Amino acid sequence: MESSDDLAVSVTDGIGLLELRRPPNNHVDAELIGRLADAAGALDEDAGCRVIVLAAEGKNFCGGADLGSAEFAGDMVVAAEGLYRRAAQLFEVRSPIIAAVQGTAVGGGLGLACAADFRVAEPSTRFVANFARLGFHQGFGLSVTLPELVGRQLATDLLLTARRVGGEEAVAIGLADRLAEPGRVRETALQWARSIAAAAPLAVRSIRATLRGDLPQRVRRAMEHELAEQAALWRTRDSAEGIAASLQRRTPVFRGE
């Protein structure tokens, strides 16, 4: 898989690096997520790659889908269905994935971070499940991944309040796994990756597959449900208000309509 303007791919010393390059917010769409999944799949077949680090250029790890883009301004259901169909492929990757999360991982960006096996954060990192503040249901498989990481009670809290979780709290509750010093998120992720790359690669994949079990299948089923719920809620006035308020950077006023 070759690099492109918005996705860099490289392999060094057993570590595959996938870097999103759409700064400052690294918004994703079906096309970019598809190329990301294809690149991860190609690294799976590369004997020189034993572990993958998922990183991003710029201020923020990933701002999720750009709801103000032409793609989502059209048929949101079609746009989301395409994105989730390709995102589901990320969960079928056989190599361990470590996400280096700087800045904000919000909405679908949080979903992308949670698709990795591990997350490295720094104190200023912010994880945000902002869906309820936008007036619609969570997506990107977060219905499965978030409760598995932090437990059902905390996942419910994060999804219903849409509150920001800083790096230190994220590590404390299990949403992130390691806290890096400021500015050293990627370096810390690469150092961790080197320790995994030094282990027996066939054993690493075997152990990981056993522990993950039927996660890819559960995520696919969850994404189908998530999309159905989103499709219904996108027809409501509250969702229109939440999305408009987000794009206009103001506080939404929800009326339960």
Side-chain angles (χ1 to χ4, degrees):
M1 182 73 183
E2 295 183 356
S3 298
S4 60
D5 289 343
D6 53 8
L7 177 64
V9 184
S10 62
V11 180
T12 305
D13 297 330
I15 301 171
L17 177 64
L18 297 176
E19 181 185 46
L20 299 176
R21 289 183 171 177
R22 287 183 175 177
N25 295 318
N26 291 298
H27 287 299
V28 293
D29 50 26
E31 192 270 338
L32 180 56
I33 287 293
R35 285 192 285 111
L36 182 66
D38 289 343
L43 290 176
D44 261 352
E45 304 302 323
D46 186 339
C49 179
R50 297 185 174 190
V51 59
I52 297 171
V53 170
L54 175 60
E57 181 183 56
K59 179 181 179 181
N60 296 310
F61 174 75
C62 181
D66 182 359
L67 298 179
S69 67
E71 182 180 23
F72 275 87
D75 192 325
M76 295 184 70
V77 176
V78 171
E81 193 278 332
L83 193 156
Y84 295 157
R85 183 177 65 252
R86 296 294 266 148
Q89 295 176 249
L90 287 171
F91 293 87
E92 297 170 353
V93 174
R94 293 170 293 154
S95 303
I97 302 175
I98 302 173
V101 186
Q102 83 280 10
T104 300
V106 60
L110 174 63
L112 178 59
C114 290
D117 296 85
F118 307 108
R119 283 145 297 284
V120 176
E122 60 185 337
S124 62
T125 300
R126 295 292 180 267
F127 298 90
V128 193
N130 66 333
F131 303 92
R133 294 287 290 180
L134 295 172
F136 60 88
H137 194 282
Q138 71 272 10
F140 215 111
L142 280 166
S143 303
V144 171
T145 57
L146 193 58
E148 288 211 350
L149 291 171
V150 305
R152 188 179 69 177
Q153 287 299 102
L154 266 175
T156 304
D157 167 42
L158 299 181
L159 288 164
L160 297 187
T161 64
R163 67 181 180 86
R164 296 186 175 191
V165 177
E168 293 181 356
E169 182 185 1
V171 172
I173 66 177
L175 183 54
D177 301 280
R178 296 191 181 182
L179 190 68
E181 295 180 4
R184 296 172 62 89
V185 168
R186 187 177 305 195
E187 182 178 340
T188 301
L190 289 169
Q191 182 179 6
W192 190 355
R194 283 191 284 271
S195 67
I196 296 176
L202 297 181
V204 166
R205 287 193 177 189
S206 176
I207 292 167
R208 179 180 183 268
T210 296
L211 295 177
R212 286 167 69 85
D214 64 345
L215 177 64
Q217 292 76 27
R218 289 188 290 121
V219 166
R220 282 189 180 274
R221 291 194 297 269
M223 285 183 176
E224 291 178 2
H225 174 76
E226 290 169 345
L227 182 61
E229 292 294 322
Q230 288 179 334
L233 289 168
W234 279 329
R235 294 193 292 267
T236 66
R237 293 181 178 178
D238 273 356
S239 180
E241 164 64 10
I243 293 171
S246 175
L247 295 174
Q248 297 165 13
R249 299 185 180 277
R250 61 175 174 81
T251 301
V253 178
F254 295 123
R255 303 186 184 280
E257 300 175 347

